[in-house]
Structure formats: structure tokens, C-alpha cells
Amino acid sequence: GEIRWLNKKSYPVYSKKNGAFRLSGSITDVTARKVAEENLKKSEQKFRDIFENTDELIQSIDLATGKFNYVNPAWLKTFGHREQELAELNFKDLVDPSSQEACADMYRKVCVGTGIENVQITFRNKEGRKVYLEGQAGVIFKEGTPDSSRGLFRNVTTKKLAEEELLKMQSNLKEAQRLAQIGNWEYNFAHQTLDGSKEMYRIFELEDTLENRNLFSEVKRQIHKKDQVILEHAIKKSMEQAEVNSFELRIHTPQSQ
């Protein structure tokens, strides 16, 4: 069998002579309603658990005012604000200048009911530091009209800062190679292809649009005939002994030929 929920109503029947002399009532099967309420409660609890414990940032913004309806703990931790401060915050005040134009465009789209995927935006936390976010923004309708937005974002600040640092290091390396006139290269034994840095292309006076296979042929062609054997010996030795080799040779650049 199964458990069913019933709603029972009873009321007394009176007579002038004897007062209440019997009870009448009705029974309604409310199992469907109770099951729906229990499922809703479980769903709300599940959402609350996700809302409270996820590392992703959740926020809702009133489209008419730009004020925050709510944010989750991860959002508060990332931005350094307390929940009591939300009433004084407008999301536009948190947007980094580099993202203001893009953010204004996204806000206009959300205000007319268009959700946005693949959002990439930069904010500033309470201390003024950049916070890089990626995610999506949806629209919550009220009586058929866009009323508020709900955003779900990932904090990718660490990733972005690492990428910026890598680009900076690569830029510094290129500048150091240019000043020291040092080019770096990589030779693929199996395919006999050569990949080189910009400074290597400059040293050999070559266009950096050359494909790897053509680069190897052009570099080999520029090497002085008497030094060809040095290159061949160095490649063979590296393959056989797997050790670092240092050697000097002469080249004929295009302008000197």
C-alpha cells in the first residue's frame, strides 16, 4: 500500500431542543498537494545548500535600480563586502573602467529580456583590486516584464593574472633576446622542421611568416658551405648522446649574398 494525505473537516449539527446532536464532515485527498509541497521544500533546501556552499558567485540585480536583490556567500567573500552593505551598493559602481562599455551593452540586453551566455567582465572589489569573472546572466520576469537579472559567475582572477604574467615574461624575453641578439629555436627530428623566435628570424633576416619546414631549409641554405658539416655533426651528436652541444658557424644572410 501507499501513504496518502487526507484533509478532514467536521462540524456539529444543532437542534434548538437538544443542541449538538451529530457531526457531519468531508474528507479530501490532498496527497498530490502534500507531495508537491514536500518536493518544493526539498528543492528549496537543495538550492539553498548550493547557494550557500558553491564556489561560484551568484547575484540578482533589480533592473530598475541596479541594486542587488541578493548575493551568495562566495560573492561576499570575493568582493570583501558585508551583507549589510548591499543596500548601499549599485552594481555599476563595482564595474572596472575597462568593462564599463561592455557591461552597459549587456545591461541593455538584459533589460529587454535577453539572457547572455559567455559573459566576461572585470569588477573591482572593496579594496579596489580587479576581479575577473566569467559566466552567464539570465532574466527573471514579473508579469511578463523583465524585472531582475540572475548571474552565475566563476572567479577566474588567478587564471587571468597568470596569463598576464606569462605574457609579460614572454615580452621581457623577446626584448632581452633582441638586446642580446639571442634567438632560440627548436628542431623536430622526425619531421625535420625548425621553429624559431622572432629574434632568430631577425638574425637570419627572414620573414617570420615562413612555415617551419621552409624555415629549416632557408636556415640550412644560409650556413656557410664549409660549416655545413658542423651543423650535421651537432645534430647527429645530440640525437645519439642526448647532451647539450655548443658550436659556432658562419652564415650568409640574404643581403650579404
Side-chain angles (χ1 to χ4, degrees), residues 5-46:
W5 287 88
L6 305 177
N7 179 277
K8 180 181 179 182
K9 294 181 180 179
S10 63
Y11 49 90
V13 178
Y14 292 86
S15 70
K16 292 182 179 181
K17 181 179 180 180
N18 300 317
F21 67 95
R22 74 168 183 264
L23 288 174
S24 294
S26 63
I27 295 178
T28 305
D29 187 338
V30 294
T31 303
R33 176 173 63 80
K34 292 294 290 186
V35 170
E37 290 175 351
E38 290 179 359
N39 288 338
L40 178 61
K41 185 177 180 180
K42 291 179 182 178
S43 178
E44 289 176 345
Q45 183 60 47
K46 184 177 180 180

Side-chain angles (χ1 to χ4, degrees), residues 4-90:
R4 303 194 69 80
W5 287 88
L6 305 177
N7 179 277
K8 180 181 179 182
K9 294 181 180 179
S10 63
Y11 49 90
V13 178
Y14 292 86
S15 70
K16 292 182 179 181
K17 181 179 180 180
N18 300 317
F21 67 95
R22 74 168 183 264
L23 288 174
S24 294
S26 63
I27 295 178
T28 305
D29 187 338
V30 294
T31 303
R33 176 173 63 80
K34 292 294 290 186
V35 170
E37 290 175 351
E38 290 179 359
N39 288 338
L40 178 61
K41 185 177 180 180
K42 291 179 182 178
S43 178
E44 289 176 345
Q45 183 60 47
K46 184 177 180 180
F47 174 77
R48 175 58 56 182
D49 290 342
I50 295 174
F51 183 84
E52 296 287 349
N53 298 304
T54 183
D55 291 331
E56 296 193 336
L57 281 62
I58 301 173
Q59 67 179 39
S60 176
I61 298 171
D62 186 305
L63 296 179
T65 64
K67 297 284 188 177
F68 290 95
N69 292 325
Y70 59 79
V71 299
N72 71 332
W75 190 100
L76 294 171
K77 181 180 179 180
T78 299
F79 283 90
H81 288 286
R82 295 178 298 173
E83 193 168 1
Q84 297 88 331
E85 299 172 332
L86 288 179
E88 305 299 324
L89 292 177
N90 188 298

Side-chain angles (χ1 to χ4, degrees), residues 127-221:
E127 297 179 348
R129 296 179 180 175
K130 289 185 177 182
V131 177
Y132 297 90
L133 300 180
E134 293 180 354
Q136 58 189 15
V139 185
I140 300 174
F141 292 85
K142 186 176 181 179
E143 297 180 355
T145 302
D147 177 73
S148 56
S149 70
R150 180 186 293 128
L152 180 63
F153 301 103
R154 298 178 301 278
N155 184 356
V156 294
T157 302
T158 301
K159 172 187 171 185
K160 282 289 187 180
L161 293 179
E163 290 175 350
E164 290 179 358
E165 184 63 23
L166 178 60
L167 290 175
K168 182 179 179 181
M169 291 174 62
Q170 290 175 340
S171 177
N172 290 340
L173 176 61
K174 289 179 181 178
E175 180 62 13
Q177 288 182 337
R178 186 188 67 82
L179 294 175
Q181 295 185 330
I182 298 175
N184 63 286
W185 53 270
E186 183 175 300
Y187 177 71
N188 187 304
F189 293 128
H191 299 97
Q192 292 190 332
T193 56
L194 183 69
D195 188 23
S197 66
K198 284 186 176 293
E199 184 60 17
M200 179 175 173
Y201 279 91
R202 190 202 64 77
I203 291 173
F204 281 86
E205 298 180 3
L206 299 172
E207 296 290 334
D208 60 9
T209 55
L210 278 175
E211 295 182 357
N212 290 3
R213 189 173 299 278
N214 292 334
L215 175 61
F216 177 72
S217 299
E218 183 60 28
V219 166
K220 190 174 181 180
R221 188 182 68 81

